[in-house]
Amino acid sequence: MDKTNHVETLAVHAGRAVDPTTRAISPPIELSTTFERGADGSFPSGFSYARTDNPGRRSLEECIATLEGGGRAFCFASGSAAVTATLTLLRPGEHLLAPAECYHGTLSQIRTLFAPHGIEVTLYEARGAAEIEALWRPNTRLVWVESPSNPLLGIADIAELARLARAHGARLAVDSTFATPLAQRPLDLGADLAVHSTTKYFGGHSDVTGGAVIVRDAELAQALAQIQVLGGAVPSPFDCWLIRRSIATLPCRFRAQCENAGRVARYLAGSVAVERVFYPGLPSHPGHALASRQMKYFGAIVSFCVPGGAREALATAARLELFTRATSLGGVESLVEHRASIEGPATRTPQNLLRLSIGLEHADDLVADLAQALASG
Ligand SMILES: *Cc1c(COP(=O)(O)O)cnc(C)c1O
């Protein structure tokens, strides 16, 4: 696999081989929790116990590490468990800089699980490095960033934040779920950790939860290996198999979804029934120039505001026929969600905002559905 860097080829082949026992093309699902020792006490297969390591997880981790250009990938039972693992690198008394606007579950984790354990937290509003540097403390050890962000598709300058973190002896973790390795590779931009909810585009079919953390640094890898094995929030062999299987089509799916999203965003931007559109591919988006440099594709999430408030937004969602009203994103089917409802009373998300996860339907059909829903408003 060293001979090619083409992501399509890697997505099919990385970490996969014909099964040596049966010559099966599709890898077997190895359910065993334990593996036989040799007479001398060694582990001839290289595996001892499923939580520590197992064939399916190893294959998936090799594949994801290759796609992200990392040294090691660590897979978890959900994206949230991958976030937990990353934040567990912090010790009591250390300081975390995290964005005020990002996946609400990450913010809830920081507040509910980590702050009570003595992790100091500052939430930053800005995306410019200078403003973030002003919030630096001597004990700042980790900067969290999500780009593009949920749900406003904010774009952070990953390379600039990585330089800043390095200069101050801190690490940069990037939640790159909305981008996938197709659109951006945070480690290439200088980040120390790339984090994914593989529930989204990697899985891609709304039928498996998972998460991954990818690193290059050997010391970080060792710390994460401990957190993964001791914490035990590992994915099941079947979950690993499903995600590995789905990665083979990730490049094709993601590109087609991004193309559809571009069509939908341009349609919405031209509609008089829409107040505002958030999509980094639109020249009007404040992060457009940066996204054009930093990302190969603009992603397949489009948020927009309708005139009015929560009632009007919910009514618009209710009129959509092709878009299913559901949380989550990244699957083959298009979804619509009123984010403020799921984020609860403390939300900063505009009440009149709807977030679309664009799937693999024909773009004309998606645009027609949005047109009818907006026209009857
Ligand atoms: C969904 C999501 C998560 C959490 O992942 P789960 O698999 O739902 O636990 C984290 N970050 C982002 C950006 C997400 O979209």
Coordinates of all heavy atoms in Angstrom, one line a residue, residues 68-72 86 142-147 156-166 170-176 184-196 213-217 220 294:
E68 N -5.9 9.1 7.2 CA -5.6 10.4 7.8 C -4.1 10.8 7.8 O -3.7 11.8 8.3 CB -6.1 10.4 9.3 CG -7.6 10.8 9.5 CD -7.9 12.2 9.1 OE1 -7.0 13.0 8.6 OE2 -9.1 12.6 9.3
G69 N -3.3 9.9 7.3 CA -1.9 10.2 7.2 C -1.3 10.2 8.6 O -0.3 10.9 8.9
G70 N -1.8 9.3 9.5 CA -1.3 9.3 10.9 C -0.5 8.0 11.1 O -0.4 7.2 10.3
G71 N 0.1 8.0 12.3 CA 0.9 6.8 12.6 C 0.0 5.7 13.2 O 0.2 4.6 12.9
R72 N -0.9 6.2 14.1 CA -1.8 5.2 14.7 C -3.2 5.8 14.8 O -3.4 7.0 14.9 CB -1.4 5.0 16.2 CG -0.1 4.1 16.4 CD -0.4 2.6 16.2 NE -1.3 2.0 17.1 CZ -1.1 1.6 18.3 NH1 0.1 1.8 18.9 NH2 -2.0 1.0 19.1
T86 N -9.7 11.7 24.1 CA -8.8 12.8 23.9 C -8.7 13.8 25.1 O -7.7 14.2 25.5 CB -9.3 13.6 22.6 OG1 -9.4 12.7 21.6 CG2 -8.3 14.7 22.2
L142 N -4.2 22.0 25.9 CA -4.9 21.5 24.8 C -5.9 22.5 24.2 O -6.5 23.2 24.9 CB -5.8 20.2 25.2 CG -6.5 19.5 24.1 CD1 -5.5 18.8 23.2 CD2 -7.5 18.5 24.6
V143 N -5.8 22.6 22.9 CA -6.8 23.5 22.2 C -7.7 22.6 21.4 O -7.2 21.7 20.6 CB -6.1 24.5 21.2 CG1 -7.1 25.4 20.5 CG2 -5.1 25.3 22.0
W144 N -9.0 22.7 21.5 CA -9.9 21.9 20.8 C -10.5 22.8 19.7 O -10.8 24.0 19.9 CB -11.1 21.5 21.7 CG -12.0 20.5 21.1 CD1 -13.1 20.8 20.3 CD2 -11.9 19.1 21.1 NE1 -13.7 19.6 19.9 CE2 -12.9 18.5 20.3 CE3 -10.9 18.2 21.7 CZ2 -13.1 17.2 20.1 CZ3 -11.1 16.8 21.5 CH2 -12.2 16.3 20.7
V145 N -10.6 22.2 18.5 CA -11.3 23.0 17.4 C -12.1 22.0 16.6 O -11.8 20.8 16.6 CB -10.2 23.7 16.6 CG1 -9.4 22.7 15.7 CG2 -10.8 24.8 15.7
E146 N -13.2 22.5 16.1 CA -14.1 21.7 15.2 C -14.2 22.5 13.9 O -14.6 23.7 14.0 CB -15.4 21.6 15.9 CG -16.4 20.6 15.3 CD -17.7 20.5 16.1 OE1 -17.7 19.9 17.2 OE2 -18.7 21.0 15.6
S147 N -13.8 21.9 12.8 CA -13.9 22.6 11.6 C -14.2 21.7 10.4 O -13.4 20.7 10.2 CB -12.6 23.4 11.3 OG -12.7 24.3 10.2
A156 N -12.1 27.1 11.0 CA -11.0 27.5 11.8 C -9.7 27.3 11.0 O -9.6 26.3 10.2 CB -10.9 26.8 13.1
D157 N -8.7 28.2 11.2 CA -7.4 28.1 10.5 C -6.6 27.0 11.2 O -5.9 27.4 12.2 CB -6.7 29.4 10.4 CG -5.5 29.4 9.5 OD1 -4.9 28.3 9.3 OD2 -5.2 30.4 8.9
I158 N -6.6 25.8 10.8 CA -6.0 24.7 11.6 C -4.5 24.9 11.6 O -3.8 24.7 12.7 CB -6.4 23.3 10.9 CG1 -7.9 23.1 11.1 CG2 -5.6 22.2 11.6 CD1 -8.4 21.9 10.3
A159 N -3.9 25.3 10.5 CA -2.4 25.4 10.4 C -1.9 26.5 11.4 O -0.9 26.3 12.1 CB -1.9 25.7 9.0
E160 N -2.7 27.6 11.4 CA -2.3 28.7 12.3 C -2.5 28.3 13.8 O -1.6 28.6 14.6 CB -3.2 29.9 11.9 CG -2.6 31.2 12.5 CD -3.4 32.4 12.1 OE1 -4.6 32.3 11.9 OE2 -2.8 33.5 11.9
L161 N -3.6 27.7 14.1 CA -3.8 27.2 15.5 C -2.7 26.2 15.9 O -2.3 26.2 17.0 CB -5.2 26.6 15.6 CG -6.3 27.6 15.6 CD1 -7.7 26.9 15.6 CD2 -6.2 28.5 16.9
A162 N -2.3 25.3 14.9 CA -1.3 24.3 15.2 C 0.0 25.0 15.6 O 0.7 24.6 16.5 CB -1.1 23.4 14.1
R163 N 0.4 26.1 14.8 CA 1.6 26.8 15.1 C 1.6 27.5 16.4 O 2.5 27.4 17.2 CB 1.9 27.9 14.0 CG 2.5 27.3 12.7 CD 3.0 28.5 11.9 NE 2.0 29.3 11.3 CZ 1.3 29.0 10.2 NH1 1.5 27.9 9.5 NH2 0.3 29.8 9.8
L164 N 0.4 28.0 16.7 CA 0.2 28.7 18.0 C 0.4 27.7 19.2 O 1.1 28.0 20.2 CB -1.2 29.3 18.0 CG -1.6 30.3 19.1 CD1 -0.7 31.5 19.1 CD2 -3.0 30.7 19.0
A165 N -0.3 26.6 19.0 CA -0.3 25.6 20.1 C 1.2 25.1 20.3 O 1.7 25.0 21.4 CB -1.2 24.4 19.7
R166 N 1.8 24.8 19.2 CA 3.2 24.3 19.3 C 4.1 25.3 20.0 O 4.9 25.0 20.9 CB 3.7 24.0 17.9 CG 5.1 23.3 17.9 CD 5.1 22.2 16.8 NE 3.9 21.2 17.0 CZ 3.5 20.4 16.1 NH1 4.0 20.4 14.9 NH2 2.5 19.6 16.4
A170 N 1.4 23.5 23.8 CA 0.1 22.8 24.0 C -0.1 21.9 22.7 O 0.6 22.0 21.8 CB -1.0 23.8 24.1
R171 N -1.2 21.1 22.8 CA -1.6 20.3 21.7 C -2.9 20.8 21.0 O -3.7 21.4 21.7 CB -1.7 18.8 22.1 CG -0.3 18.2 22.3 CD -0.4 16.9 22.9 NE 0.9 16.2 22.7 CZ 1.5 15.4 23.6 NH1 0.9 15.2 24.7 NH2 2.6 14.9 23.4
L172 N -3.0 20.5 19.7 CA -4.2 20.9 19.0 C -4.9 19.6 18.6 O -4.4 18.7 17.9 CB -3.8 21.7 17.8 CG -5.0 22.1 16.9 CD1 -5.9 23.1 17.6 CD2 -4.6 22.7 15.6
A173 N -6.2 19.5 19.0 CA -7.1 18.4 18.6 C -8.2 19.0 17.7 O -8.8 20.0 18.0 CB -7.7 17.8 19.8
V174 N -8.4 18.3 16.5 CA -9.4 18.8 15.6 C -10.4 17.8 15.4 O -10.2 16.6 15.0 CB -8.7 19.1 14.2 CG1 -9.7 19.6 13.2 CG2 -7.6 20.1 14.3
D175 N -11.7 18.2 15.7 CA -12.8 17.3 15.4 C -13.1 17.6 13.9 O -13.6 18.6 13.5 CB -14.0 17.6 16.2 CG -15.2 16.7 16.0 OD1 -15.3 16.1 14.9 OD2 -16.0 16.5 16.9
S176 N -12.8 16.6 13.1 CA -12.8 16.7 11.6 C -14.0 15.9 11.0 O -14.0 15.6 9.8 CB -11.5 16.2 11.0 OG -11.3 16.7 9.7
Q184 N -10.1 17.2 4.3 CA -9.0 17.8 5.0 C -8.3 16.8 5.9 O -8.9 15.9 6.4 CB -9.4 19.0 5.8 CG -9.9 18.8 7.2 CD -10.6 19.9 7.9 OE1 -10.8 21.0 7.3 NE2 -11.1 19.7 9.1
R185 N -7.0 16.9 6.0 CA -6.2 16.0 6.9 C -5.5 16.9 7.9 O -4.5 17.5 7.7 CB -5.2 15.2 6.1 CG -5.9 14.3 5.0 CD -5.2 13.0 4.8 NE -3.8 13.2 4.5 CZ -3.0 12.2 4.2 NH1 -3.5 10.9 4.2 NH2 -1.7 12.4 3.9
P186 N -6.1 17.0 9.1 CA -5.6 17.9 10.2 C -4.2 17.6 10.5 O -3.4 18.6 10.8 CB -6.6 17.6 11.4 CG -7.8 17.1 10.8 CD -7.4 16.3 9.5
L187 N -3.7 16.4 10.5 CA -2.3 16.1 10.9 C -1.4 16.7 9.9 O -0.3 17.2 10.3 CB -2.1 14.6 11.1 CG -3.0 13.9 12.1 CD1 -2.6 12.4 12.2 CD2 -3.0 14.5 13.4
D188 N -1.7 16.7 8.6 CA -0.9 17.3 7.6 C -0.8 18.9 7.8 O 0.2 19.5 7.4 CB -1.5 17.1 6.2 CG -1.3 15.7 5.7 OD1 -0.5 14.9 6.4 OD2 -1.9 15.3 4.7
L189 N -1.9 19.4 8.4 CA -1.9 20.9 8.7 C -1.2 21.2 10.0 O -1.2 22.4 10.4 CB -3.3 21.4 8.7 CG -4.1 21.2 7.4 CD1 -5.6 21.4 7.6 CD2 -3.6 22.2 6.4
G190 N -0.7 20.2 10.7 CA 0.1 20.5 11.9 C -0.6 20.1 13.2 O 0.0 20.3 14.3
A191 N -1.9 19.7 13.1 CA -2.6 19.3 14.4 C -2.0 18.0 15.0 O -1.3 17.2 14.3 CB -4.1 19.0 14.1
D192 N -2.1 17.9 16.3 CA -1.6 16.7 17.0 C -2.6 15.5 17.0 O -2.2 14.4 17.0 CB -1.2 17.1 18.4 CG -0.2 18.2 18.4 OD1 1.0 17.9 18.1 OD2 -0.6 19.3 18.7
L193 N -3.9 15.8 17.0 CA -4.9 14.8 17.1 C -6.0 15.1 16.1 O -6.5 16.3 16.1 CB -5.5 14.7 18.5 CG -4.5 14.4 19.6 CD1 -4.4 15.7 20.5 CD2 -4.9 13.2 20.5
A194 N -6.4 14.1 15.3 CA -7.6 14.2 14.5 C -8.7 13.3 15.1 O -8.4 12.2 15.5 CB -7.4 13.8 13.1
V195 N -9.9 13.9 15.3 CA -11.0 13.1 16.0 C -12.2 13.0 15.0 O -12.5 14.0 14.3 CB -11.4 13.9 17.3 CG1 -12.5 13.1 18.0 CG2 -10.2 14.1 18.2
H196 N -12.8 11.8 15.0 CA -14.0 11.6 14.2 C -15.1 10.9 14.9 O -14.8 10.0 15.7 CB -13.6 10.7 12.9 CG -12.8 11.4 11.9 ND1 -13.4 12.3 11.0 CD2 -11.5 11.4 11.6 CE1 -12.4 12.8 10.2 NE2 -11.2 12.2 10.6
V213 N -9.6 8.4 17.0 CA -8.6 9.4 17.2 C -7.4 9.0 16.5 O -6.9 7.8 16.6 CB -8.3 9.5 18.7 CG1 -7.3 10.7 18.9 CG2 -9.6 9.8 19.5
I214 N -6.8 9.9 15.7 CA -5.6 9.6 14.9 C -4.5 10.5 15.3 O -4.7 11.7 15.5 CB -5.9 9.7 13.4 CG1 -7.1 8.9 13.0 CG2 -4.7 9.2 12.6 CD1 -8.4 9.7 13.0
V215 N -3.3 9.9 15.5 CA -2.1 10.7 15.9 C -0.9 10.2 15.2 O -0.8 9.1 14.6 CB -1.8 10.6 17.5 CG1 -3.0 11.2 18.3 CG2 -1.6 9.1 17.9
R216 N 0.2 11.1 15.2 CA 1.5 10.7 14.7 C 2.5 10.5 15.8 O 3.3 9.6 15.7 CB 2.0 11.8 13.7 CG 1.4 11.8 12.4 CD 2.0 12.8 11.4 NE 1.3 12.8 10.2 CZ 1.2 13.8 9.3 NH1 1.9 14.9 9.6 NH2 0.5 13.6 8.2
D217 N 2.4 11.3 16.8 CA 3.4 11.3 17.9 C 3.3 10.0 18.7 O 2.2 9.6 19.1 CB 3.0 12.5 18.8 CG 4.0 12.6 20.0 OD1 5.1 13.0 19.8 OD2 3.5 12.3 21.1
L220 N 2.0 10.3 22.4 CA 0.5 10.5 22.4 C -0.2 9.1 22.1 O -1.2 8.8 22.7 CB 0.1 11.5 21.3 CG -0.2 12.9 21.7 CD1 -0.6 13.7 20.4 CD2 -1.2 13.0 22.8
Q294 N -8.0 25.4 2.7 CA -7.7 24.3 3.6 C -8.4 23.0 3.3 O -8.0 21.9 3.7 CB -8.2 24.8 5.0 CG -8.1 23.9 6.2 CD -8.3 24.6 7.5 OE1 -7.4 25.4 8.0 NE2 -9.5 24.5 8.1

